[in-house]
Amino acid sequence: DARVTQTPRHKVTEMGQEVTMRCQPILGHNTVFWYRQTMMQGLELLAYFRNRAPLDDSGMPKDRFSAEMPDATLATLKIQPSEPRDSAVYFCASGSGLPEQYFGPGTRLTVT
Amino acid sequence: AQTVTQSQPEMSVQEAETVTLSCTYDTSESNYYLFWYKQPPSRQMILVIRQEAYKQQNATENRFSVNFQKAAKSFSLKISDSQLGDTAMYFCAFMEYGNKLVFGAGTILRVKS
């Protein structure tokens, strides 16, 4: 059963701490997207990669967020330092060149 | 920039009845895709249906169908024979091929027994 996995599912941290979220795309998918969902902004794209190369990270606050794909089976999203306004659900999605994107279960981040 | 508008924040429907969720979008592109995603309380994003802009025929998936009006830039979702399990947030989304999804604000649908 091919699916996108994300860890951790929940994360509570204090302001100023580093947060790392991980995503394993569906095997064989070459495009990975990071989305953030908040009550105020809804669902918005943070960054995406194709064949591990970053294509667009314009939605990401550059001073504190970073996204990487160390290899084809792992994508990471880091926040350093974290702030309360970063509290949200972070989704990873993967695709294979077809229009459909398949979403992971999300990481619910709470920064106190 | 593309925008997606869902003008109905909340809707409710009786079990077994039909409901239509509205969506409009704005783009200057001629080739694109439109989607409806369902997000139940579990938060999982589930693809409901997809429409290619070059296809005139409206997409259908079991109880779910769309009314795609390209000239009007309208893309509504019809759910027939509503079931309690259809209760969820529904997002309309736009995508140029291979690119990012742009989502609407969502419509909360409640199916009542």
Side-chain angles (χ1 to χ4, degrees):
Chain A
D1 185 20
R3 61 181 68 189
V4 177
T5 59
Q6 290 186 248
T7 57
R9 293 292 308 277
H10 304 272
K11 177 72 175 179
V12 179
T13 191
E14 293 183 349
M15 183 173 62
Q17 296 299 305
E18 177 178 302
V19 175
T20 299
M21 290 169 270
R22 294 177 174 80
C23 167
Q24 183 173 9
I26 294 172
L27 189 64
H29 282 193
N30 66 341
T31 309
V32 173
F33 302 82
W34 284 104
Y35 293 91
R36 177 171 63 183
Q37 184 177 28
T38 62
M39 290 294 293
M40 295 300 296
Q41 301 296 326
L43 276 156
E44 53 186 351
L45 179 77
L46 295 175
Y48 77 99
F49 296 77
R50 181 166 294 129
N51 297 322
R52 296 176 56 199
L55 292 188
D56 184 352
D57 62 1
S58 59
M60 209 162 62
K62 301 293 193 301
D63 57 338
R64 299 183 300 108
F65 284 60
S66 62
E68 296 179 346
M69 278 202 75
D71 61 60
T73 64
L74 177 64
T76 63
L77 179 66
K78 292 185 181 180
I79 308 174
Q80 170 63 25
S82 57
E83 297 180 1
R85 59 179 167 154
D86 301 329
S87 297
V89 179
Y90 291 81
F91 287 101
C92 173
S94 72
S96 61
L98 298 175
E100 285 83 357
Q101 293 180 21
Y102 298 89
F103 282 74
T107 293
R108 178 180 287 278
L109 174 65
T110 303
V111 183
T112 61
Chain B
Q2 293 86 5
T3 58
V4 178
T5 302
Q6 294 179 249
S7 59
Q8 305 152 316
E10 295 187 28
M11 294 194 70
S12 61
V13 63
Q14 286 296 128
E15 200 175 4
E17 294 188 348
T18 296
V19 64
T20 298
L21 308 183
S22 301
C23 173
T24 59
Y25 59 95
D26 188 26
T27 183
S28 58
E29 300 295 326
S30 58
N31 296 318
Y32 51 87
Y33 295 87
L34 294 161
F35 303 86
W36 280 96
Y37 278 87
K38 169 186 178 181
Q39 188 178 41
S42 67
R43 292 201 316 265
Q44 179 70 50
M45 294 289 288
I46 302 166
L47 177 63
V48 175
I49 200 163
R50 177 189 93 183
Q51 175 77 44
E52 294 90 337
Y54 64 85
K55 288 188 177 179
Q56 292 187 341
Q57 186 173 6
N58 290 324
T60 299
E61 288 287 342
N62 301 313
R63 297 182 296 107
F64 299 87
S65 61
V66 299
N67 183 4
F68 173 48
Q69 302 290 328
K70 190 173 183 178
K73 296 180 181 176
S74 171
F75 183 61
S76 61
L77 175 69
K78 185 172 79 171
I79 305 174
S80 304
D81 186 24
S82 297
Q83 301 176 357
L84 295 178
D86 295 334
T87 292
M89 175 80 91
Y90 287 81
F91 291 97
C92 178
F94 171 98
M95 186 177 74
E96 292 174 21
Y97 185 76
N99 211 320
K100 65 183 180 182
L101 285 168
V102 176
F103 288 93
T107 296
I108 298 172
L109 176 66
R110 294 186 175 88
V111 180
K112 300 178 179 179
S113 59

